[in-house]
Amino acid sequence: MIQISPDSIADRFMRYVQVDTQSDPTSTAHPSSEKQKDLGKILHRELLGLGITDATTDEFGYVYATIPSNSDKKNIPAICFCAHVDTAPDCSGTNVKPIHYRYYDGNDIVLPDDNTQVLSIANSPYLKEHINHGIITASGVTLLGADDKSGVAAIMEAAVFFMQNPAVKHGDIKILFTPDEEVGQGTAKVDMQKLGAQFGYTLDGGEAGSLEDETFSADAAVITINGVIVHPGYAKDKLVNALKLAGAVLDALPKNEWSPETTEKKQGFVHPTAVNGIAEKVVAQFPGATMEYAQHEQYRNMKEVLDRYPQVAAYAKEAIERAGLTVKIESIRGGTDGSRFSYIGMPCPNLFTGMQNIHSKLEWIGTKDMAKAAETIVHLSMIWEEKS
Ligand SMILES: [Zn+2]
């Protein structure tokens, strides 16, 4: 029986969340914020400390490491476990003060640094599953960072298990920690050759037992509207206000369908995210307004790739069951790094870690869920060895 202690993974997780690793959506650098490397350095050092001698960190903030195969079988695919070190720009990640409630009693929790922040079974029903078990929250003024330091902690705890239990057979296990997932750049600078994995799993999902093998496919579009700017005092019959045109374009978007606020599950949507007005081009004459539309691919549904390698999700299901959980197959109304990995040579569904209320001050996680995520990694590695 594979058993990982909720308390020991909790201690590890609490150390990691105190390192500020917020990514920066306004930056074009890789990583988008240097401070993400602070956690990378800690992880690199801890991997070396475990005896994982090939651990490396590159200038972009990616950490790579291998736990070499200890099996006589030569045909086992190398399997990657991946988590992101950055936290979301939506909510402060500075001076995170994690609080570990070792035996959650089911009552409301008023977060100490801002007593308007109250976590309760009413606003977070999944708490019910954690009564009499450990949960970890932030203190009220920051996010917790369970997204995705719970994934980081689960991978590290599984690594400790493998290094301490050499009798447990597995193939090559590739560990990858990435920066900038929250700003859509998690795979931008990854070196797939160096990683050298055939299949992968991100640990970046919610409720215990959940397995996400389907995402949206998304494109991004930039619409540039060129109005005609004339001094408003002389504007009659000449001015074409681009911002008003932008307003008309927004108003013409679908409202009762194709909109995130009116759709759910696998229904798609169009989602405007920003309107910027720039008033620097002065067009004195009246050439008329023009509009440009540029569209680019963001990511594609991972399921199209995963369906060609059914063993990837099937083994994950079996591992979740061996960890004593019920499998919940889910689809994501968005994309993951796994969507991109799946299209650059590494089919990669997403596994649970337990994270809840992500990107907010009410973020929390149950410690038994994190321990189960680490156990699932161990079982999954064993299954790939058994079935190869
Ligand atoms: Zn995440």
Side-chain angles (χ1 to χ4, degrees), residues 20-99:
D20 183 355
T21 56
Q22 189 181 56
S23 46
D24 178 0
T26 65
S27 163
T28 53
H30 295 277
S32 69
S33 59
E34 275 298 302
K35 60 189 177 185
Q36 294 178 67
K37 290 183 176 171
D38 295 346
L39 181 55
K41 277 181 208 144
I42 292 170
L43 298 169
H44 184 159
R45 201 168 54 226
E46 290 183 1
L47 288 163
L48 292 176
L50 290 173
I52 300 174
T53 51
D54 79 336
T56 56
T57 308
D58 67 15
E59 78 241 61
F60 308 115
Y62 292 79
V63 180
Y64 300 82
T66 311
I67 304 175
S69 172
N70 61 3
S71 169
D72 295 334
K73 297 183 182 174
K74 295 291 166 225
N75 59 337
I76 312 167
I79 302 300
C80 173
F81 295 99
C82 171
H84 63 92
V85 297
D86 64 316
T87 62
D90 323 37
C91 185
S92 170
T94 304
N95 288 325
V96 173
K97 288 189 267 172
I99 305 168

Side-chain angles (χ1 to χ4, degrees), residues 129-147:
E129 319 255 333
H130 294 268
I131 292 174
N132 294 326
H133 296 279
I135 68 162
I136 298 172
T137 71
S139 65
V141 289
T142 66
L143 47 62
L144 174 61
D147 179 7

Side-chain angles (χ1 to χ4, degrees), residues 71-319:
S71 169
D72 295 334
K73 297 183 182 174
K74 295 291 166 225
N75 59 337
I76 312 167
I79 302 300
C80 173
F81 295 99
C82 171
H84 63 92
V85 297
D86 64 316
T87 62
D90 323 37
C91 185
S92 170
T94 304
N95 288 325
V96 173
K97 288 189 267 172
I99 305 168
H100 187 181
Y101 302 81
R102 274 168 208 279
Y103 301 97
Y104 171 60
D105 61 8
N107 291 320
D108 291 3
I109 295 175
V110 179
L111 299 183
D113 291 343
D114 176 356
N115 59 22
T116 67
Q117 298 293 330
V118 182
L119 187 63
S120 67
I121 288 175
N123 62 32
S124 202
Y126 186 58
L127 275 171
K128 249 190 278 183
E129 319 255 333
H130 294 268
I131 292 174
N132 294 326
H133 296 279
I135 68 162
I136 298 172
T137 71
S139 65
V141 289
T142 66
L143 47 62
L144 174 61
D147 179 7
D148 183 25
K149 287 163 184 168
S150 56
V152 174
I155 294 168
M156 291 298 289
E157 205 67 19
V160 171
F161 181 91
F162 284 123
M163 299 311 283
Q164 291 177 348
N165 294 276
V168 171
K169 296 290 176 215
H170 57 80
D172 279 345
I173 297 170
K174 300 288 180 173
I175 293 173
L176 175 64
F177 297 123
T178 60
D180 289 330
E181 190 270 353
E182 300 289 0
V183 293
Q185 297 294 317
T187 58
K189 296 285 178 186
V190 72
D191 183 339
M192 297 305 283
Q193 206 89 34
K194 178 168 158 183
L195 181 62
Q198 277 100 307
F199 302 106
Y201 299 90
T202 50
L203 279 111
D204 197 11
E207 291 190 13
S210 65
L211 165 67
E212 294 164 326
D213 65 350
E214 192 167 7
T215 59
F216 273 0
S217 295
D219 287 356
V222 176
I223 301 172
T224 307
I225 299 164
N226 301 307
V228 179
I229 297 174
V230 183
H231 185 285
Y234 309 94
K236 186 160 191 306
D237 299 328
K238 293 193 185 101
L239 178 86
V240 180
N241 187 315
L243 282 172
K244 288 183 183 172
L245 275 177
V249 169
L250 287 175
D251 191 53
L253 289 176
K255 294 185 182 71
N256 298 322
E257 50 183 359
W258 286 98
S259 200
E261 58 271 36
T262 56
T263 55
E264 59 179 354
K265 297 184 179 141
K266 295 184 186 178
Q267 298 168 315
F269 54 74
V270 180
H271 184 43
T273 55
V275 179
N276 299 309
I278 307 164
E280 57 192 17
K281 266 194 217 160
V282 178
V283 184
Q285 289 305 310
F286 201 131
T290 61
M291 189 164 102
E292 290 141 35
Y293 180 88
Q295 186 168 347
H296 71 266
E297 180 177 311
Q298 284 188 304
Y299 51 83
R300 287 289 169 264
N301 184 354
M302 61 166 71
K303 197 157 198 312
E304 288 162 31
V305 177
L306 287 172
D307 280 349
R308 299 206 296 270
Y309 307 96
Q311 70 275 33
V312 179
Y315 294 176
K317 283 181 212 167
E318 186 165 344

